[in-house]
Amino acid sequence: MLNKYARAFFTRVLTPFAALLLRLGVSPDTVTLIGTGGVVAGALVFYPLGEFFWGTVVITLFVFSDLVDGNMARQLGRSSRWGAFLDSTLDRVADAAVFGGIALWYAGGGDDVLMCAVAIFCLASGQVVSYTKARGESIGLPVAVNGLVERAERLVITLVLTGFSGLAKFGVPHIEILLPVSLWIVALGSLVTLGQRVVTVRREAAEAAEAEGTGTA
């Protein structure tokens, strides 16, 4: 849902900015690299220190590059396999930095082994969820399923609740509970989404095999 509606809205909003960057001679790949670098820096510099509000502000500013670079490529009429590969690969790097930064906080100043493990699970499950779709498509299956918690949902839930939890440093009482809440939601949602994709790939593989007349093991 977020991918369908939020992307359409922000694409319209960011189109003039993307056009300006093109006029300045900036390439889509440059925007992709800068955006990922900003997200990684925001996550790995601020989050391990417990600075969740300012870390989220920095990450949010750069995370929109994911929409800007694609918009620029479309305006140029030059969407390429390389651009799609680079964008998808660096998305995984950015996601890992966000959850890795939170895990580092819990392993250090946050002093909570359980929540550190949950953050690591969020990191790993997010990578696996993305891999199941990519792998299914690579063997010729459509993987036609809208999972419960896909990348857009994972980012929005994590960044919004983590950012608000950072308001505890400004004196807002009890709001720090939002950080573990966000991690549990993403962990459980990712687990459900993984199950949805595995079941979908299994069904589509069986249907493809039946259509080919080979049967399934």
Side-chain angles (χ1 to χ4, degrees), residues 58-140:
V58 172
I59 291 168
T60 302
L61 289 175
F62 284 99
V63 83
F64 284 107
S65 67
D66 192 42
L67 299 176
V68 174
D69 56 6
N71 193 310
M72 292 169 68
R74 285 190 294 274
Q75 289 189 46
L76 287 172
R78 293 201 315 229
S79 294
S80 65
R81 290 184 176 89
W82 161 250
F85 169 81
L86 180 66
D87 188 59
S88 180
T89 300
L90 293 184
D91 281 349
R92 307 287 85 75
V93 173
D95 293 355
V98 170
F99 291 107
I102 295 173
L104 286 172
W105 160 249
Y106 279 121
D111 193 24
D112 191 323
V113 174
L114 174 61
M115 292 313 304
C116 179
V118 175
I120 292 172
F121 178 83
C122 289
L123 190 163
S125 61
Q127 307 296 317
V128 176
V129 165
S130 297
Y131 174 79
T132 54
K133 185 173 181 65
R135 181 59 177 150
E137 290 174 344
S138 75
I139 58 175

Side-chain angles (χ1 to χ4, degrees), residues 4 12 24 30 42 87-88 98 123 127 137 144 160 194 207:
K4 181 178 179 181
R12 289 193 298 271
L24 294 174
T30 299
D87 188 59
S88 180
V98 170
L123 190 163
Q127 307 296 317
E137 290 174 344
V160 169
L194 178 60
E207 291 171 354

Side-chain angles (χ1 to χ4, degrees), residues 2 5 13 23 41 47 58 102 110 117 121-122 138 155 159 165-166 169 172 202 213 216:
L2 284 172
Y5 297 108
V13 171
R23 288 196 296 272
Y47 279 4
V58 172
I102 295 173
F121 178 83
C122 289
S138 75
L155 276 180
L159 293 179
S165 75
K169 289 205 169 185
V172 180
R202 172 62 180 168
T216 58

Side-chain angles (χ1 to χ4, degrees), residues 18 20-31 34 72 76:
L20 172 62
L21 291 177
L22 289 173
R23 288 196 296 272
L24 294 174
V26 180
S27 71
D29 287 353
T30 299
V31 172
I34 291 174
M72 292 169 68
L76 287 172

Side-chain angles (χ1 to χ4, degrees), residues 101-203:
I102 295 173
L104 286 172
W105 160 249
Y106 279 121
D111 193 24
D112 191 323
V113 174
L114 174 61
M115 292 313 304
C116 179
V118 175
I120 292 172
F121 178 83
C122 289
L123 190 163
S125 61
Q127 307 296 317
V128 176
V129 165
S130 297
Y131 174 79
T132 54
K133 185 173 181 65
R135 181 59 177 150
E137 290 174 344
S138 75
I139 58 175
L141 301 174
V143 197
V145 58
N146 292 319
L148 178 65
V149 178
E150 298 185 337
R151 182 174 187 258
E153 287 81 5
R154 290 196 304 272
L155 276 180
V156 170
I157 292 168
T158 303
L159 293 179
V160 169
L161 296 186
T162 299
F164 277 122
S165 75
L167 294 176
K169 289 205 169 185
F170 295 90
V172 180
H174 311 304
I175 201 165
E176 65 275 3
I177 191 64
L178 292 179
L179 176 55
V181 167
S182 72
L183 293 177
W184 281 112
I185 291 173
V186 171
L188 294 174
S190 296
L191 192 60
V192 171
T193 304
L194 178 60
Q196 289 175 302
R197 289 193 174 178
V198 169
V199 169
T200 298
V201 169
R202 172 62 180 168
R203 174 177 53 78

